[in-house]
Amino acid sequence: MLNTADILETIGMIREENLDIRTITMGISLFDCVSEDADRLCEKVYDKITRKAENLVRTGVEIEQKYGIPIVNKRVSVTPVSLIGGNMSPDGFLKLAHTLQRAANTLGINFIGGYSALVHKGMTQGDRNLISVIPEALAETDTVCSSVNVATTKAGINMDAIRLMGSTIKRAAYLTRDNNSLGCAKLVVFANVPEDNPFMAGAFHGVGEPDSVINVGVSGPGVVAAAIRRAGDCDLSELAEIIKKTAFKITRVGQLVANEAAQKLNTPFGIIDLSLAPTPAVGDSVAHILEEMGLESCGAHGTTACLAMLNDAVKKGGVMASSHVGGLSGAFIPVSEDAGMIAAVERGALSLEKLEAMTAVCSVGLDMIAVPGDTSEEVICGIIADEISIGVVNTKTTAVRVIPAYGKTVGESVDFGGLLGTAPIMPVREYSPAKFIHRGGRVPAPIHSLKN
């Protein structure tokens, strides 16, 4: 039964604390689109996506109007295209990227994800062909997002794939140099990638998913920060309870929207992703939550402990609110998309190394980080390898979305606009890991992966 106080509280969260549904993402399987002919494959892919998601945007708008809850993005994720393309040529895979963009334009969605490959244990020729044209695909499309999974706890780390991604990221930066190397903001390298993630750039429709599904990503850093502020000078146990209860309320809003969307679209409900996804807007920052918890600045000693507590409390509250929680679910720390993170970097409180330590206890990884444009491929590979290792050893998802901003150096910044925000150029260590990277092969899986 609806309680008037709960309704008023939710209205306050929306109006004053930036509560929103960050995304409704429809996952669509493309396995039944497979064809040996590239043109026929593209035709079938376009037809299926536009048929399945025909009413996605309209439904999102109707739910917004009915409940007064902002739904920021309407998105589509598809089967990793390397799995349906077989040994298609690089030109064929590039044509498929343009097909995804054409479908996105027809639907009016914000992003389409799944221009992806899963190469944690090795690469097929089709995988190589796809990866070889990722930079061109990202440069020639607006809303297509790409991801590559290079490691799992079970398989270990594919260093050959990491080496390939270093050069791929550098080429994507160069090809989109006239747009602040924006192509790299649509490309993420994963370890232990989830198959039901509704958030871009890493969303794709996993092989164990149904033909289509609705996944919803909630947000609300501002709501959590405000709740902590109101709590005043309480102890940490009470603070954890406050965060947990707040996460419960946020997730219930997401559950309401997910159920409504699934019913209207006649599509199974998949999962709620609990992630606290920040924006550049004032008052919508994960860094500000950590500062409300008692840090002078995000990046201070104690930041990792605060983030660990926050992440745990968010998960505990969220799983009480929905029986189907998935995706990444926790606190995101993308530098360019979080006003507090940007400020912490600019004041010198937050370094790349501190961010790496924080990723051991949160949901994603080194996200939306801009580095000097002349950073070498090998250093980028080293950054990826370090972060991926944290995921593999800790049996968790980690990822890297790094932007070597062409022509930029430390002290400058790049403005991506919208939700992608502004990224200050962060310094990297100049010492080279080249010899280690070029050894190639696979880093074996850790001993605790042997759980059967």
Side-chain angles (χ1 to χ4, degrees):
M1 187 169 183
L2 292 176
N3 180 290
T4 303
D6 289 342
I7 295 171
L8 292 173
E9 182 182 32
T10 302
I11 292 171
M13 290 176 179
I14 293 168
R15 290 182 175 176
E16 300 170 19
E17 298 167 4
N18 297 301
L19 174 63
D20 60 50
I21 300 301
R22 187 54 47 87
T23 178
I24 295 178
T25 301
M26 177 179 280
I28 302 172
S29 172
L30 300 181
F31 283 121
D32 55 352
C33 299
V34 172
S35 173
E36 292 184 3
D37 179 77
D39 290 332
R40 178 61 179 148
L41 171 65
C42 290
E43 179 184 340
K44 292 169 75 174
V45 165
Y46 176 83
D47 289 345
K48 182 163 189 185
I49 293 172
T50 53
R51 183 179 74 254
K52 283 284 187 180
E54 179 182 10
N55 298 316
L56 178 63
V57 172
R58 186 182 71 189
T59 297
V61 172
E62 288 174 354
I63 295 172
E64 283 183 289
Q65 293 173 345
K66 179 176 180 179
Y67 294 107
I69 301 168
I71 300 173
V72 179
N73 287 290
K74 295 84 177 175
R75 300 165 171 171
V76 166
S77 63
V78 299
T79 305
V81 297
S82 68
L83 300 182
I84 65 164
N87 286 331
M88 195 159 63
S89 69
D91 285 343
F93 276 113
L94 190 56
K95 184 178 293 185
L96 187 51
H98 286 281
T99 300
L100 295 177
Q101 181 62 57
R102 186 160 60 94
N105 291 342
T106 299
L107 296 171
I109 57 177
N110 304 96
F111 289 105
I112 185 164
Y115 200 73
S116 306
L118 309 176
V119 295
H120 39 275
K121 206 170 182 179
M123 287 180 278
T124 66
Q125 187 56 49
D127 293 326
R128 292 182 182 277
N129 290 347
L130 167 68
I131 293 171
S132 73
V133 294
I134 285 176
E136 287 78 10
L138 298 178
E140 296 172 16
T141 62
D142 297 320
T143 60
V144 172
C145 292
S146 180
S147 60
V148 179
N149 192 66
V150 299
T152 67
T153 299
K154 281 286 188 183
I157 303 171
N158 186 344
M159 289 300 296
D160 292 325
I162 288 179
R163 185 169 61 182
L164 189 55
M165 291 312 299
S167 61
T168 300
I169 289 168
K170 286 286 286 185
R171 283 206 302 122
Y174 178 77
L175 291 179
T176 55
R177 62 193 181 280
D178 293 333
N179 196 15
N180 288 323
S181 298
L182 181 64
C184 298
K186 300 185 290 175
L187 172 60
V188 57
V189 183
F190 272 111
N192 293 319
V193 66
E195 297 190 347
D196 54 5
N197 167 28
F199 286 101
M200 300 296 170
F204 65 82
H205 189 67
V207 296
E209 298 286 314
D211 192 55
S212 62
V213 70
I214 290 293
N215 297 322
V216 168
V218 300
S219 187
V223 178
V224 176
I228 295 172
R229 194 177 309 120
R230 286 192 297 268
D233 195 21
C234 61
D235 70 19
L236 292 177
S237 296
E238 186 177 346
L239 192 62
E241 283 296 308
I242 289 166
I243 297 169
K244 188 168 67 174
K245 290 175 182 177
T246 305
F248 175 87
K249 294 172 184 177
I250 293 169
T251 307
R252 290 303 286 174
V253 174
Q255 183 74 49
L256 171 68
V257 170
N259 288 338
E260 185 91 3
Q263 184 177 11
K264 284 179 174 290
L265 292 166
N266 193 28
T267 302
F269 161 59
I271 58 96
I272 300 289
D273 189 311
L274 311 176
S275 298
L276 295 177
T279 71
V282 175
D284 201 26
S285 163
V286 170
H288 288 160
I289 296 176
L290 304 178
E291 289 163 3
E292 290 291 346
M293 292 172 73
L295 302 175
E296 182 178 0
S297 171
C298 179
H301 295 296
T303 297
T304 305
C306 285
L307 184 58
M309 177 180 157
L310 171 66
N311 218 48
D312 179 67
V314 166
K315 291 177 187 289
K316 287 174 177 173
V319 296
M320 283 295 291
S322 175
S323 296
H324 298 288
V325 171
L328 297 160
S329 288
F332 286 1
I333 53 171
V335 172
S336 76
E337 299 173 18
D338 186 309
M341 295 286 176
I342 294 169
V345 171
E346 290 177 339
R347 71 172 68 101
L350 189 59
S351 66
L352 194 59
E353 289 78 12
K354 185 59 178 178
L355 280 164
E356 184 181 299
M358 292 163 66
T359 64
V361 299
C362 73
S363 292
V364 192
L366 295 172
D367 196 19
M368 287 302 291
I369 291 171
V371 298
D374 61 358
T375 303
S376 70
E377 289 181 15
E378 289 83 4
V379 168
I380 290 173
C381 290
I383 292 170
I384 295 171
D386 282 345
E387 185 59 33
I388 294 308
S389 297
I390 290 174
V392 168
V393 171
N394 290 287
T395 320
K396 69 185 292 291
T397 301
T398 53
V400 175
R401 193 161 42 147
V402 62
I403 301 106
Y406 190 83
K408 299 284 187 177
T409 190
V410 176
E412 298 181 276
S413 63
V414 284
D415 186 358
F416 302 116
L419 287 176
L420 294 177
T422 301
I425 307 298
M426 301 185 70
V428 298
R429 297 189 182 276
E430 299 292 337
Y431 300 101
S432 176
K435 185 174 180 180
F436 171 68
I437 299 299
H438 286 288
R439 287 181 182 274
R442 281 195 297 139
V443 176
I447 186 64
H448 60 259
S449 69
L450 301 175
K451 292 183 177 180
N452 291 339

